[in-house]
Amino acid sequence: MHQKKLSGLQLQVLSLYRSVLRSAVRKDLQQQNSNDKALSFMYLLCNGRTSMHARAEFRRDAKSIRRSDFQLIEYKLRKGTKYVKMLDMDGVKVAGGSV
């Protein structure tokens, strides 16, 4: 089966998506750490508050942004990179802003 090669911008978006999800799961794990240490990565990925928010934001943007709107996509990539840095900060409890 022949797969279409992804463009550089598409690879950047996928990389950001994975980074956001990893950071969101780490944040959810920090919040749940006091309650239950046996929570798995997959459980938090599907049910964690920050993870669910991050996935919802990506889906919302995917539906609303045209694939040909490169300036907006690049802007969202920069904004998403800042969001990942914010999630990785110790003082941040739950991130509620857009990705």
Side-chain angles (χ1 to χ4, degrees):
M1 194 165 146
H2 188 273
Q3 292 182 353
K4 184 178 176 183
K5 278 195 163 188
L6 298 176
S7 71
L9 199 56
Q10 288 170 322
L11 290 173
Q12 286 179 327
V13 170
L14 288 174
S15 175
L16 176 64
Y17 183 68
R18 288 190 306 267
S19 296
V20 167
L21 287 181
R22 277 192 299 268
S23 294
V25 167
R26 275 195 301 268
K27 190 57 67 176
D28 288 336
L29 185 60
Q30 287 174 1
Q31 291 173 350
Q32 294 294 330
N33 212 7
S34 60
N35 298 339
D36 185 12
K37 293 186 179 190
L39 294 174
S40 70
F41 175 82
M42 289 305 292
Y43 176 80
L44 287 172
L45 183 60
C46 296
N47 299 313
R49 183 175 175 186
T50 309
S51 304
M52 289 171 53
H53 173 72
R55 284 197 331 269
E57 287 293 316
F58 263 92
R59 283 194 184 110
R60 183 180 55 81
D61 285 346
K63 289 179 182 177
S64 66
I65 298 175
R66 291 190 322 265
R67 291 177 69 157
S68 60
D69 195 349
F70 299 117
Q71 285 183 327
L72 183 57
I73 294 169
E74 288 172 349
Y75 166 75
K76 290 287 190 174
L77 281 170
R78 288 190 303 274
K79 191 173 176 184
T81 303
K82 291 177 186 176
Y83 182 80
V84 170
K85 288 179 184 177
M86 182 194 63
L87 275 178
D88 290 337
M89 291 178 167
D90 289 332
V92 176
K93 299 284 183 194
V94 175
S98 62
V99 176

